[in-house]
Amino acid sequence: MELKAIHHAAIIVSDYRLAREFYVEKLELPVLGEHFRPERNDWKLDLALGDGQLEIFSAPAAPRRPDRPEARGLRHLAFRVEDVEVTVRQLEERGIPCETVRVDPYTGCRFTFFKDPDGLPLELYEQKNSSE
């Protein structure tokens, strides 16, 4: 078996319009496809993210996510960035607050967290080289 990379991550959002504005307009992820699924009465949005994709599904009636990042399941999504401070400034200029930038004690890389409109934790991770 040879797993090469993560092809995509998928998230469920409560408000499609708000999520689309956040991920497309504020985070500037390019749209690969956008489809209304009448059999489910919802939307599916495919966004480009580096060599992979982020899939957004709308499900207004879905149960809320546990409010603790230590709960079982997906902990967070992390975006690799060139300069975490520059990206934090760009997000904050768009009204997206970020936590204080910290340093990973194992890699020495800088990182911080912010949240999407549904409270999903998102991380910015400043990678020094490809081995981290």
Side-chain angles (χ1 to χ4, degrees):
M1 178 179 355
E2 186 178 348
L3 303 178
K4 298 183 184 282
I6 293 176
H7 178 267
H8 69 270
I11 61 173
I12 296 173
V13 301
S14 63
D15 184 320
Y16 181 74
R17 182 197 57 77
L18 191 60
R20 189 184 194 290
E21 177 186 327
F22 181 82
Y23 285 98
V24 175
E25 304 301 325
K26 294 185 177 180
L27 298 189
E28 300 179 347
L29 297 180
V31 175
L32 296 172
E34 184 170 25
H35 308 281
F36 181 72
R37 303 182 312 168
E39 72 280 5
R40 295 178 181 227
N41 194 31
D42 72 357
W43 286 90
K44 179 179 184 287
L45 178 65
D46 297 319
L47 304 173
L49 182 58
D51 291 335
Q53 296 178 25
L54 181 60
E55 293 181 345
I56 309 262
F57 294 90
S58 65
R64 292 184 53 86
R65 178 188 197 286
D67 197 23
R68 301 178 329 272
E70 303 303 326
R72 288 186 191 155
L74 179 66
R75 185 170 180 176
H76 60 265
L77 296 177
F79 300 104
R80 184 174 60 228
V81 298
E82 293 292 320
D83 186 321
V84 73
E85 296 286 349
V86 168
T87 308
V88 164
R89 279 195 301 278
Q90 292 169 336
L91 289 173
E92 290 180 343
E93 286 170 0
R94 296 167 188 183
I96 302 168
C98 297
E99 294 181 3
T100 302
V101 174
R102 296 178 269 166
V103 176
D104 185 314
Y106 301 107
T107 66
C109 295
R110 297 183 315 155
F111 69 98
T112 190
F113 287 91
F114 63 106
K115 292 183 179 180
D116 84 348
D118 282 307
L120 178 67
L122 303 172
E123 180 181 9
L124 301 175
Y125 193 85
E126 185 179 293
Q127 189 172 14
K128 293 180 183 178
N129 62 50
S130 61
S131 65
E132 296 163 352

